[in-house]
C-alpha cells in the first residue's frame, strides 16, 4: 500500500479513486492531481514508483489543505459559529441539522435514536 501524506491508499484501486481516501480530496481533485503530476489516473496504486508517490505527495501538500490541517480548520470554523451564537452555531450546539432540513420526521442521524415520550391521560379519563 503506498502511503501518501500519512494515509495508506488501497493497492487494487485505480489511482484517481485511491487518492480519494485522503481526507479533503475528492474525485475531481484527484484527477487534477494526476494531470498536474503527469501520472496516468487509471493505473493501480500498487504500480506507482517511489518517485511518483513522492511527486504526488509534494504536489498535494503544496496545493491543497488535507487531512489534519483540514479537520482542524473545520473544527475551528464550527467552534467559531458556536462561540458567536449564530443560528448555525446553536444548531451545532443542540445536535440538530444545520442546513435547513426538516426535523419533524427524519433527522435521525443528528438527533440519535427515538426517545419515546409517554402520553399523559386526560383528566376526564381519570375521573371515570
Amino acid at each position: 500500500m503506498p502511503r501518501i501524506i500519512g494515509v495508506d491508499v488501497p493497492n487494487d484501486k485505480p489511482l484517481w479513486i485511491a487518492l480519494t481516501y485522503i481526507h479533503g480530496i475528492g474525485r475531481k481533485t484527484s484527477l487534477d492531481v494526476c494531470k498536474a503530476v503527469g501520472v496516468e489516473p487509471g493505473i493501480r496504486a500498487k504500480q506507482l514508483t517511489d518517485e511518483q508517490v513522492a511527486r504526488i505527495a509534494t504536489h498535494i501538500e503544496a496545493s491543497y489543505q488535507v487531512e489534519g490541517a483540514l479537520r482542524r480548520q473545520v473544527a475551528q470554523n464550527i467552534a467559531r459559529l458556536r462561540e458567536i451564537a449564530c443560528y448555525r452555531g446553536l444548531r451545532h450546539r443542540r445536535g440538530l441539522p444545520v442546513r435547513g432540513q426538516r426535523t419533524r420526521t427524519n433527522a435521525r442521524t443528528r438527533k440519535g435514536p427515538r426517545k419515546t415520550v409517554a402520553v399523559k391521560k386526560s383528566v376526564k379519563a381519570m375521573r371515570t
Side-chain angles (χ1 to χ4, degrees), residues 4-5 21 49 85 99 104 114 120 123:
I4 301 173
I5 311 177
Y21 280 67
T49 63
R99 297 186 176 177
R104 183 169 180 174
R114 285 187 174 86
K120 292 185 179 180
V123 178

Side-chain angles (χ1 to χ4, degrees), residues 96-108:
L96 294 170
V98 177
R99 297 186 176 177
Q101 298 91 335
R102 69 179 296 135
T103 56
R104 183 169 180 174
T105 60
N106 303 329
R108 285 291 132 207

Side-chain angles (χ1 to χ4, degrees), residues 1-4 6-23 25 41-48 53 56 67:
M1 268 190 206
R3 193 163 177 85
I4 301 173
V7 177
D8 291 328
V9 296
N11 277 329
D12 54 340
K13 300 207 184 245
L15 178 62
W16 73 282
I17 295 293
L19 286 177
T20 62
Y21 280 67
I22 299 170
H23 182 75
I25 294 187
I43 68 169
R44 303 290 170 175
K46 62 185 170 190
Q47 297 171 335
L48 288 173
V53 171
I56 291 170
E67 282 302 318

Side-chain angles (χ1 to χ4, degrees), residues 44-75:
R44 303 290 170 175
K46 62 185 170 190
Q47 297 171 335
L48 288 173
T49 63
D50 290 337
E51 188 263 334
Q52 288 173 325
V53 171
R55 278 193 305 178
I56 291 170
T58 55
H59 178 74
I60 290 174
E61 285 177 346
S63 304
Y64 303 101
Q65 193 170 25
V66 292
E67 282 302 318
L70 180 61
R71 292 179 203 272
R72 240 185 330 278
Q73 183 184 13
V74 169

Side-chain angles (χ1 to χ4, degrees), residues 82 87-104 106-112 115:
R82 287 176 162 194
Y87 181 78
R88 284 173 53 205
L90 295 177
R91 303 296 282 182
H92 274 292
R93 230 185 249 169
R94 294 180 184 153
L96 294 170
V98 177
R99 297 186 176 177
Q101 298 91 335
R102 69 179 296 135
T103 56
R104 183 169 180 174
N106 303 329
R108 285 291 132 207
T109 303
R110 288 289 301 198
K111 291 172 79 173
K115 299 175 214 74

